[in-house]
Amino acid sequence: QLQLVESGGGLVQPGGSLRLSCAASGFTLDYYAIGWFRQAPGKEREGVSCISSSGGDTNYADSVKGRFTISRDNAKNTVYLHMSSLKPEDTAVYYCAADRGHYCSGFSLYEVDYWGQGTQVTVSS
């Protein structure tokens, strides 16, 4: 079965850090651009960050720039989103997605071939 599985979400205090992981099962991520998206209650899903298949191109939404870092380890078939200086407004379900087109469309993807199931991130004191 071809799927993406996110992990690493949880409850964290404002100013804290979390690292999300996106692992592929049934296919290799080497040829895919990977995007992270999030959806807060009552809001539409929005792009957060994207990394090209080579890892040479990374992009971030203005709201997370300087606080979030996207990276990939193709040997582990996994992409990461390291989040620091977290704010309550970062609270959302975070999803990863894969596009076999190799390249990012800014901090998003041109199209999505696979979605993960999401992981909850809650930033609260």
Side-chain angles (χ1 to χ4, degrees):
Q1 186 176 2
L2 307 179
Q3 59 180 350
L4 295 172
V5 179
E6 301 97 335
S7 61
L11 173 64
V12 63
Q13 292 188 342
S17 298
L18 282 175
R19 188 183 75 167
L20 305 183
S21 299
C22 172
S25 175
F27 68 105
T28 179
L29 288 179
D30 291 27
Y31 305 109
Y32 290 78
I34 303 297
W36 283 97
F37 299 78
R38 66 186 181 186
Q39 187 167 21
K43 294 188 177 181
E44 292 188 354
R45 189 175 300 187
E46 62 177 2
V48 174
S49 183
C50 180
I51 187 167
S52 62
S53 61
S54 69
D57 183 34
T58 58
N59 299 285
Y60 302 91
D62 286 344
S63 58
V64 306
K65 200 172 294 184
R67 301 187 298 120
F68 289 12
T69 302
I70 192 170
S71 63
R72 65 192 300 153
D73 186 341
N74 285 348
K76 295 184 177 180
N77 218 24
T78 301
V79 172
Y80 304 98
L81 185 69
H82 187 267
M83 308 184 295
S84 61
S85 302
L86 283 161
K87 306 175 181 179
E89 50 263 43
D90 294 318
T91 295
V93 178
Y94 283 72
Y95 302 87
C96 65
D99 175 2
R100 64 168 62 95
H102 293 283
Y103 303 108
C104 296
S105 174
F107 53 84
S108 188
L109 298 173
Y110 285 103
E111 59 183 41
V112 175
D113 294 294
Y114 303 106
W115 282 102
Q117 84 290 347
T119 185
Q120 176 70 47
V121 171
T122 302
V123 184
S124 175
S125 55

